[in-house]
Amino acid sequence: MGICDATAIEVVHSDYMLANKGKEAPIRFAALAAIYDPQTIRHLETLGVACGLHCLEVGAGSGTIAKWLADRVGPTGYVLVTDVDTRFLEPLRGGPPL
Ligand SMILES: C[S@@+](CC[C@H](N)C(=O)[O-])C[C@H]1O[C@@H](n2cnc3c(N)ncnc32)[C@H](O)[C@@H]1O
């Protein structure tokens, strides 16, 4: 059976390994933010994220980068965030438009 043969594709249902619903998720997100946010932010600064830009973050997780983006683009900008599980992003709805 070749790799181009559709019958070779097997669809297996499995939960996402790092699901946000896990009780350890806040600790994992805090660790990820502590480790990766500084370099992510440096990269975004290098890209020129600035006032008024419109941004899309796919897989926004705990929202730390979404919040940074929102602060950075300011009230004239716009940040749209998505995630398969938005539970950590819901509290951000009450703030300025992301
Ligand atoms: C490690 S967090 C990334 C957080 C943030 N973007 C950052 O760079 O710090 C990964 C997030 O991606 C989400 N995710 C995984 N697969 C996804 C998909 N197919 N579509 C949207 N979000 C997804 C997960 O639910 C999780 O919240």
Side-chain angles (χ1 to χ4, degrees):
M1 200 173 288
I3 59 171
C4 295
D5 185 340
T7 59
I9 298 171
E10 183 182 2
V11 177
V12 178
H13 178 270
S14 67
D15 286 333
Y16 178 51
M17 190 174 73
L18 300 173
N20 296 357
K21 68 184 175 193
K23 67 175 185 238
E24 80 298 341
I27 297 168
R28 176 166 43 85
F29 277 134
L32 287 172
I35 295 166
Y36 291 113
D37 279 10
Q39 66 196 62
T40 300
I41 288 167
R42 275 197 302 279
H43 184 60
L44 292 169
E45 287 171 337
T46 301
L47 286 174
V49 175
C51 291
L53 280 189
H54 288 200
C55 304
L56 168 66
E57 184 182 8
V58 178
S62 66
T64 56
I65 294 300
K67 281 186 267 188
W68 183 89
L69 286 168
D71 288 344
R72 186 77 168 192
V73 302
T76 59
Y78 187 82
V79 180
L80 174 64
V81 298
T82 71
D83 202 293
V84 288
D85 181 342
T86 60
R87 72 186 65 211
F88 292 101
L89 304 172
E90 296 301 331
L92 301 177
R93 284 187 193 276
L98 284 178

